[in-house]
Amino acid sequence: MNFIDRGRPIGVFDSGIGGLTVVKRLASTLPNENIVYFGDTARVPYGSKSNSTVIEYSLQDAAFLKTKNVKAIVVACNTASSIAIKSLKQKYDIPIIGMIEPGTEFALRSTKNKKIGIIGTRATIDNKAYSKALKKVDKKLKVFEKACPLFVPLAEEGWVEHKATYEIAEEYLKVLKKKEIDTLILGCTHYPILTKVIQKVIGENVKLIDSGIAAAELVRDEINRIGLLSHSSSLGFVDFFVTDIPKKFKEIAELFLSAPVKEVKKVELEEIWHY
Ligand code: DGL
C-alpha cells in the first residue's frame, strides 16, 4: 500500500447530527485520520421510516461517500446498521462498520447481572437488532427494549439538559427503571448527546453503552487489517457534508466535538437521488 492510499479518508454517515458522537470517538482513537462526514439532515429521522426507505437512503449515503474515495465506511446510525448493513456490505468491497456488533460486545463486557436495557429508534427496536445479537451470544440474558423516538429531535435541537428532555426521559425510561438493569445500550447515535439526562434519570449505577467508543476501535482494527492505517503525523481533519443546513448543525457540532467547525457544505438531494 502506498502513502496516498493510507491518506484516504474514512467515510461516516448518519441521518443527521447523531454520527458526530461517533466522529468524536474516531478522532480520539485515530487522531491522524481524515474523515468525511455525511449527515442526511434533509431526510432525518430515519427511525420512523420503513425498512425499504432506510435501505435506499443508506445506499445513497454510502454512494456519496464513495465519490470522496473513502477507504472504509462507518454506518454511524443504528437504524441504518440494523436494517441496511447487509445491502451495504454486498455492494462495497471496502470495510463497512456498523454500530450493532461493537455495541453488543461492549454491553456483554459490561453487564454483571445479565440484565440489559436497550433504547433506540422505533425501527431499531422493532427490528430487534441488538436483542438478537445479544441473545445469539448468551441465551440467558434478560433484555428489555424501549423505543425513544423523541430523543432524536431533542438532540437535533440541542436540548441537552432542558426540563422537557428530563420529563420525556422520565416517561420513556420508567419501564426500564423497574427492571434492575445494570447496563443500558444507547442504541441510537443521537443519544450520547443526551447522556447527562439519560444517566441521571436511569440512575448512576447503570452503565451507559456508547457504541461509538467500541466502533472506533473496530474501525482501527479493520483499516489496519487491510493495511490502510494513516502514517501521517499531523492531525486529521473532518469535512462536513449535509443535505440541508439547519442553523444548529454547526453550533451543535462545535459544542459536541469541542472544536471549531469551519465549513459545512450542502449537498443537493437531487445529486444523492442519482446514486
Ligand atoms: N442516529 C440514528 C440512529 O443511530 C437515527 C436517528 C433517526 O434518524 O431516527 O439510529
Side-chain angles (χ1 to χ4, degrees):
M1 285 304 156
N2 63 32
F3 183 75
I4 294 175
D5 268 337
R6 289 179 182 278
R8 283 162 57 196
I10 297 170
V12 178
F13 81 82
D14 179 45
S15 58
I17 61 162
L20 294 174
T21 65
V22 181
V23 168
K24 185 174 179 157
R25 305 305 181 186
L26 280 171
S28 65
T29 306
L30 295 162
N32 308 116
E33 297 287 346
N34 297 323
I35 293 172
V36 178
Y37 184 83
F38 179 79
D40 194 4
T41 47
R43 301 188 293 191
V44 67
Y46 281 12
S48 52
K49 300 203 164 61
S50 65
N51 286 8
S52 58
T53 301
V54 173
I55 292 174
E56 186 185 1
Y57 288 1
S58 302
L59 288 170
Q60 290 167 354
D61 301 346
F64 171 80
L65 290 172
K66 270 296 271 179
T67 66
K68 304 291 170 198
N69 195 25
V70 294
K71 59 187 172 188
I73 292 177
V74 182
V75 186
C77 172
N78 287 268
T79 307
S81 301
S82 317
I83 298 166
I85 204 83
K86 211 167 137 204
S87 312
L88 289 163
K89 284 188 174 173
Q90 268 164 7
K91 180 147 184 213
Y92 296 109
D93 56 2
I94 55 172
I96 306 284
I97 297 105
M99 295 293 115
I100 311 298
E101 191 191 325
T104 301
E105 272 178 34
F106 199 180
L108 287 166
R109 282 205 302 269
S110 150
T111 187
K112 303 270 181 299
N113 73 0
K114 310 249 178 209
K115 291 182 184 172
I116 300 178
I118 305 160
I119 53 174
T121 64
R122 223 164 242 141
T124 301
I125 299 301
D126 288 352
N127 280 284
K128 300 204 165 293
Y130 276 107
S131 54
K132 279 188 203 151
L134 287 164
K135 295 269 182 148
K136 209 167 152 189
V137 181
D138 186 347
K139 281 202 183 71
K140 287 196 196 116
L141 282 175
K142 290 226 160 27
V143 175
F144 307 96
E145 299 169 274
K146 177 75 187 157
C148 306
L150 291 174
F151 281 172
V152 172
L154 288 170
E156 293 272 338
E157 195 55 33
W159 284 17
V160 291
E161 276 194 277
H162 197 284
K163 194 168 145 259
T165 311
Y166 275 104
E167 278 170 18
I168 289 166
E170 285 285 358
E171 185 62 33
Y172 277 148
L173 302 178
K174 70 179 177 209
V175 283
L176 295 180
K177 277 164 87 172
K178 295 184 192 139
K179 305 292 184 191
E180 294 172 346
I181 54 169
D182 69 353
T183 301
L184 177 64
I185 299 178
L186 303 178
C188 170
T189 51
H190 280 71
Y191 297 179
I193 296 171
L194 307 177
T195 289
K196 265 197 195 152
V197 173
I198 296 171
Q199 186 75 75
K200 213 161 179 183
V201 171
I202 196 71
E204 298 296 331
N205 51 341
V206 176
K207 167 94 177 149
L208 299 188
I209 301 297
D210 175 348
S211 312
I213 300 176
E217 287 168 20
L218 189 57
V219 174
R220 184 193 51 210
D221 296 349
E222 280 293 296
I223 55 178
N224 189 28
R225 184 179 60 78
I226 57 169
L228 287 185
L229 261 187
S230 167
H231 277 182
S232 162
S233 54
S234 45
L235 269 188
F237 55 85
V238 187
D239 258 340
F240 293 96
F241 294 89
V242 291
T243 44
D244 195 5
I245 303 193
K247 279 197 198 121
K248 291 235 163 197
F249 186 92
K250 198 167 166 288
E251 193 186 307
I252 297 174
E254 287 179 338
L255 177 94
F256 198 75
L257 299 174
S258 323
V261 168
K262 257 213 308 243
E263 196 188 356
V264 180
K265 291 174 206 129
K266 184 169 184 248
V267 182
E268 295 305 325
L269 266 185
E270 235 171 63
E271 186 189 327
I272 303 295
W273 283 117
H274 288 130
Y275 295 128

